[in-house]
Amino acid sequence: MCGIWASIGLPADGHADRAGLAAAAHRGPDGEALLLIETPAGRLALGHRRLSIYDLAVRAAQPMRIGPLTGLFNGSLYDFAAVRAELEATGVAFATTGDCEVLLQAWLRWGAQAMARFDGMFAALIHDARDHSLHLVRDRFGEKPLHVLELPGGRLAAASEIRQFAAAGLLDRARIDADILSRFLALGSAESGAATFVRGVRRILPGSHEVWDLSGTRAVTRPATPLYGRFAQPDPALADPRVAAEALRAALLGAVRNRLIADVQVGACLSGGLDSSTIARMSASLLPAGTRISTFCALFDEADSNGRSLSERTFALAAADHPGIDLQFVTPDDSAVADAVTDVVALQGEPFAHTSILAQHFVFKAARTAGVVAMLDGQGADELFGGYTGMLGHALADILLERGPFAWQTAARALAEHSGE
């Protein structure tokens, strides 16, 4: 991940901008830069903290300028090589081998429509000197964060994390949104549209494109517009389970293959669940012969109130039983978890509802210590495929809907298999 900072109309001494960018230092240990651009609406500051994944050289540092465009980027465009080849075929020459330059060259050619050509997770800011506009875009699912703070007098700031605004002296830490807090306490929901836990701070919605018009004497925000069209209707052939299974396998293999492309060491999380096990096994099958992928698993050898083991050791070992997989267990004790809570809460920026984030903290820390810079992880597949007990009701409902109201024996068998009885 990288850290993004942008502002318009803040004090000329630059103290607030430097402080806001410095607060994202943990997001980008490999480089820091702050660029000032004069616009009719005032001085635009663009700052970037870099975590190098593609093209580790200084030439790929950001903010990056290509003609009239200046860009900040956080994330990865997994298929940037294909878009690069398409642009090269039209005569475009590249100075780097990373994805940020491909994004800017694609934007030069196709404008905001260029984003639909990419498969990736990202938050990006692009300044266009031709019309004095700043474009804020976010990926389809909002995997990479991007927040906006509007201040009196046409002053604006954008950042990867809310706490960057506080570090810049732009935010009263006590401005909690009571409605969002109540929703979180009642439902455990930590995200509700554009609203955040802090009044006055909003997030750019997933798949959205917001424009700051800097052509006048003060900055004006235009209403955000969708960056993508609707998903295409599925191929009718996918109604055949065998066809659908093969299509799913091909799509997963393609996704994993693209995410293994990097100029740093790539590893994977491996909890023993459906998603991480699938990713780890596919990664191992795609690596060159004789190479191995490093995987990491947070392990808690505990039991529930009935004495049943909660440990995922058996499942993780089974998934790692492959010549291309190395597995390292991470076993934080109670004191280590207690010591980490304050830092993890601060890094998250907003309340979170599940302690799995703490487990991930130790996994990623161990990976970094081992020299692994980028990690593959699965999120959501266990829910999608009914791998968790909480999803069992949905799985049973699917059986009854598909086979009719009298399929109780099938549903009962599925329940028995899931519970091990």
Side-chain angles (χ1 to χ4, degrees), residues 70-271:
T70 303
L72 300 175
F73 184 75
N74 170 32
S76 293
L77 301 176
Y78 301 117
D79 57 350
F80 73 93
V83 179
R84 174 182 174 130
E86 184 178 356
L87 290 166
E88 286 178 325
T90 67
V92 176
F94 288 85
T96 74
T97 58
D99 54 354
C100 185
E101 186 182 9
V102 176
L103 168 62
L104 292 176
Q105 291 285 10
W107 192 284
L108 265 179
R109 185 170 183 83
W110 298 298
Q113 290 73 31
M115 304 312 298
R117 296 173 178 266
F118 291 108
D119 170 23
M121 57 175 185
F122 57 84
L125 276 63
I126 299 173
H127 175 253
D128 192 333
R130 293 171 295 187
D131 62 357
H132 302 292
S133 59
L134 183 69
H135 301 262
L136 296 78
V137 296
R138 200 169 175 217
D139 63 71
R140 289 173 174 85
F141 296 104
E143 293 182 70
K144 291 300 180 182
L146 186 56
H147 301 89
V148 172
L149 173 64
E150 297 192 41
L151 298 164
R155 295 177 299 152
L156 295 164
S160 295
E161 299 182 13
I162 296 175
R163 69 178 186 161
Q164 291 176 253
F165 301 132
L170 306 178
L171 196 64
D172 179 356
R173 292 177 181 270
R175 297 173 62 199
I176 302 300
D177 189 312
D179 291 337
I180 299 300
L181 179 60
S182 297
R183 177 183 174 86
F184 172 76
L185 294 174
L187 305 176
S189 175
E191 187 165 323
S192 179
T196 70
F197 281 89
V198 181
R199 294 199 312 272
V201 177
R202 57 180 171 82
R203 59 175 60 88
I204 300 295
L205 290 175
S208 292
H209 172 208
E210 178 172 308
V211 180
W212 294 3
D213 185 348
L214 310 179
S215 63
T217 56
R218 57 183 289 170
V220 176
T221 59
R222 299 178 188 165
T225 57
L227 198 58
Y228 305 98
R230 297 178 62 86
F231 285 110
Q233 291 296 315
D235 185 342
L238 296 178
D240 184 333
R242 292 170 297 182
V243 175
E246 185 53 41
L248 175 61
R249 174 179 171 78
L252 284 172
L253 273 172
V256 173
R257 182 182 292 109
N258 283 342
R259 285 155 179 77
L260 287 172
I261 299 171
D263 295 325
V264 294
Q265 185 177 351
V266 178
C269 298
L270 181 56
S271 68

Side-chain angles (χ1 to χ4, degrees), residues 1 44 57 302:
M1 63 183 179
L44 172 66
E302 300 173 348

Side-chain angles (χ1 to χ4, degrees), residues 214-406:
L214 310 179
S215 63
T217 56
R218 57 183 289 170
V220 176
T221 59
R222 299 178 188 165
T225 57
L227 198 58
Y228 305 98
R230 297 178 62 86
F231 285 110
Q233 291 296 315
D235 185 342
L238 296 178
D240 184 333
R242 292 170 297 182
V243 175
E246 185 53 41
L248 175 61
R249 174 179 171 78
L252 284 172
L253 273 172
V256 173
R257 182 182 292 109
N258 283 342
R259 285 155 179 77
L260 287 172
I261 299 171
D263 295 325
V264 294
Q265 185 177 351
V266 178
C269 298
L270 181 56
S271 68
L274 293 174
D275 44 15
S276 65
S277 299
T278 299
I279 291 170
R281 283 297 191 105
M282 285 187 167
S283 297
S285 71
L286 292 167
L287 292 175
T291 59
R292 303 166 67 87
I293 187 168
S294 297
T295 65
F296 301 83
C297 175
L299 197 66
F300 301 90
D301 286 320
E302 300 173 348
D304 64 15
S305 58
N306 296 316
R308 291 180 295 191
S309 174
L310 298 175
S311 174
E312 296 177 318
R313 184 187 297 272
T314 301
F315 304 107
L317 287 172
D321 186 16
H322 186 285
I325 296 178
D326 286 328
L327 174 61
Q328 176 180 326
F329 286 114
V330 181
T331 56
D333 57 21
D334 292 347
S335 62
V337 172
D339 290 342
V341 166
T342 299
D343 288 341
V344 173
V345 170
L347 288 170
Q348 285 299 120
E350 292 185 279
F352 51 92
H354 202 284
T355 56
S356 63
I357 290 176
L358 286 163
Q360 287 183 312
H361 168 79
F362 289 102
V363 164
F364 295 145
K365 185 176 181 179
R368 185 69 179 188
T369 300
V372 177
V373 178
M375 291 282 283
L376 305 187
D377 191 14
Q379 293 292 336
D382 279 307
E383 289 85 351
L384 181 64
F385 296 117
Y388 285 134
T389 301
M391 299 297 111
L392 182 58
H394 298 289
L396 297 179
D398 285 344
I399 292 174
L400 295 177
L401 286 172
E402 179 182 352
R403 305 188 186 184
F406 300 105

